[in-house]
């Protein structure tokens, strides 16, 4: 955590919130693709974390903020725990460990459509190392499951630990049971005033949100190892003089020449597609039309290079 970020015991930056108000930090854990970022976005009511079917999409601790009459939840969306193969992977795991040690509640997620497996059991058991956090089990993606699957999953998950404060089935997609989850999480938080002002949905900077939107567009349709090799650096965001346009210049960083070719595509077709999809999400975020200029550059083996990782913000 940086100096400016609130901790679970930080004083309020907002005057609202009575003595009965509750506020605190929650994070969701689970295998890759159990829907952690989708759940974060659904609770916040706005897209603050990018989503992809590629494992390890999330690379930072992104805070989404849900303000309710009874208090405030700060949802910390983290990378998934995984077996690291690079220095980047190790740093992401270290980040998750730090967040798990700081939060008030940990939500353990399992998709309703998949049987509980060894990976789920290992993660559930690892929660023993975070004694101060209360634990909630969440069965996700119920909209895609049969009633029998949901029942079976609830039984399996319930048996993983004896200290669940609650076991809740839900769908982030249809929003079914989301209020039940947020009510339960809020009830488990310590008493205290709000940590962020009303109306704030994330503490991510605009540049960071733009970079993540571009990376999400670049991830779509790529295969194998390439997703891990993609990073995005926003070089400049500036309103154009005498125009309602905002000019954005950003670099898509990859590790090898072959990857650069894949991102650019035949005669630049894929890069144009990435730019168009990213622009469609950036314009509502900024509230202006956008001119987006993307440049693809190579930083050899950046995932394994401490200096390159530092330059890219890891």
């Amino acid at each position: 955590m940086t100096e400016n970020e609130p901790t679970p015991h930080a004083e309020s930056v907002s005057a609202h919130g009575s003595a009965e108000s509750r506020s605190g930090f929650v994070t969701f854990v689970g295998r890759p693709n159990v829907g952690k970022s989708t759940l974060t976005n659904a609770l916040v009511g706005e897209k603050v974390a990018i989503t992809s079917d590629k494992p390890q999409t999330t690379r930072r601790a992104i805070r989404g903020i849900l303000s309710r009459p009874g208090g405030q939840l700060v949802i910390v969306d983290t990378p998934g725990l995984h077996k690291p193969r690079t220095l980047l992977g190790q740093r992401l795991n270290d980040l998750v460990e730090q967040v798990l040690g700081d939060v008030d509640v940990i939500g353990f997620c399992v998709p309703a459509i998949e049987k509980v497996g060894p990976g789920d059991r290992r993660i559930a058991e690892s929660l023993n190392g975070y004694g101060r956090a209360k634990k909630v089990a969440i069965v996700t993606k119920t909209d895609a499951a049969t009633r029998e699957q949901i029942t079976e999953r609830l039984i399996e998950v319930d048996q993983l630990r004896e200290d669940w404060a609650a076991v809740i089935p839900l769908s982030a997609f249809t929003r079914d049971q989301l209020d039940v989850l947020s009510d339960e999480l809020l009830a488990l938080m310590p008493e205290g005033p709000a940590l962020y002002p009303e109306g704030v949905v994330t503490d991510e900077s605009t540049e960071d949100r733009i970079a993540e939107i571009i990376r999400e567009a670049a991830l779509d349709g790529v295969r194998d190892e390439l997703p891990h090799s993609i990073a995005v650096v926003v070089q400049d965001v500036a309103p154009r003089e005498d125009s309602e346009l905002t000019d954005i210049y950003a670099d898509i960083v990859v590790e090898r020449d072959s990857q650069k070719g894949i991102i650019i595509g035949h005669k630049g077709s894929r890069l144009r597609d990435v730019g168009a999809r990213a622009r469609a999400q950036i314009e509502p975020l900024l509230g202006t039309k956008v001119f987006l200029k993307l440049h693809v550059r190579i930083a050899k083996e950046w995932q394994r290079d401490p200096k390159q990782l530092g330059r890219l913000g890891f």
Side-chain angles (χ1 to χ4, degrees):
M1 289 189 179
T2 66
E3 291 174 18
N4 298 323
E5 291 170 346
T7 66
H9 308 292
E11 290 182 8
S12 171
V13 296
S14 167
H16 79 285
S18 62
E20 293 76 41
S21 174
R22 293 182 178 274
S23 65
F25 292 72
V26 57
T27 194
F28 301 123
V29 299
R31 288 180 289 105
N33 296 337
V34 295
K36 300 184 290 290
S37 297
T38 303
L39 180 54
T40 297
N41 291 336
L43 284 167
V44 172
E46 186 175 318
K47 185 169 184 171
V48 296
I50 68 170
T51 58
S52 168
D53 59 0
K54 308 291 185 293
Q56 315 314 325
T57 297
T58 304
R59 283 189 181 155
R60 291 200 307 279
I62 294 172
R63 286 172 174 73
I65 298 139
L66 172 62
S67 297
R68 306 248 333 228
Q72 193 176 72
L73 295 174
V74 182
I75 306 155
V76 189
D77 188 41
T78 63
L81 281 165
H82 64 294
K83 200 169 186 176
R85 290 182 294 171
T86 63
L87 182 57
L88 172 65
Q90 185 56 58
R91 288 189 178 178
L92 296 185
N93 269 4
D94 292 345
L95 174 67
V96 179
E97 296 278 342
Q98 181 188 343
V99 169
L100 289 172
D102 284 342
V103 295
D104 301 288
V105 180
I106 298 171
F108 170 76
C109 299
V110 171
I113 50 178
E114 297 172 28
K115 285 185 175 294
V116 167
D120 301 302
R121 282 189 271 276
R122 189 172 63 250
I123 294 170
E125 191 176 332
S126 76
L127 301 185
N128 291 338
Y130 309 99
R132 74 174 290 274
K134 294 159 184 166
K135 284 88 177 173
V136 172
I138 304 163
V139 174
T140 62
K141 305 186 182 182
T142 56
D143 58 288
T146 64
R147 186 167 294 198
E148 289 75 20
Q149 283 177 309
I150 296 167
T151 303
E152 189 179 301
R153 215 60 62 242
L154 288 169
I155 294 167
E156 287 176 354
V157 169
D158 190 46
Q159 291 171 346
L160 287 174
R161 296 185 65 89
E162 294 180 353
D163 62 347
W164 298 127
V167 180
I168 299 169
L170 58 76
S171 166
F173 181 68
T174 64
R175 305 189 64 80
D176 184 42
Q177 295 260 103
L178 271 188
D179 283 346
V180 174
L181 176 64
S182 54
D183 288 346
E184 188 66 47
L185 293 176
L186 209 49
L188 293 170
M189 292 299 163
E191 284 192 7
L195 299 165
Y196 290 89
E198 192 92 47
V200 174
V201 295
T202 183
D203 63 358
E204 286 280 280
S205 71
T206 301
E207 284 81 1
D208 284 343
R209 293 182 78 178
I210 289 170
E212 287 290 88
I213 287 168
I214 295 168
R215 188 163 67 90
E216 182 181 50
L219 282 170
D220 190 37
V222 297
R223 60 188 186 279
D224 304 330
E225 287 301 299
L226 186 51
H228 304 284
S229 299
I230 297 172
V232 174
V233 180
V234 174
Q235 300 292 359
D236 193 30
V237 179
R240 188 180 294 186
E241 285 185 26
D242 305 322
S243 170
E244 294 182 2
L245 270 179
T246 299
D247 291 322
I248 299 174
Y249 295 87
D251 292 346
I252 298 176
V253 184
V254 293
E255 294 186 300
R256 294 190 288 281
D257 279 325
S258 59
Q259 296 170 342
K260 182 175 179 177
I262 292 168
I263 292 293
I264 293 172
H266 181 61
K267 294 184 177 177
S269 59
R270 193 167 185 286
L271 190 61
R272 282 194 298 274
D273 185 48
V274 169
R277 273 181 290 130
R279 199 168 56 247
Q281 289 197 60
I282 294 168
E283 288 182 342
L285 176 65
L286 299 185
T288 70
K289 289 286 184 187
V290 162
F291 169 78
L292 176 60
K293 179 68 174 176
L294 298 176
H295 172 68
V296 184
R297 66 178 171 89
I298 298 166
K300 290 193 183 301
E301 301 295 331
W302 67 261
Q303 294 183 80
R304 294 170 170 82
D305 182 340
K307 284 184 182 173
Q308 298 273 19
L309 284 171
R311 287 192 202 108
L312 293 170
F314 298 108

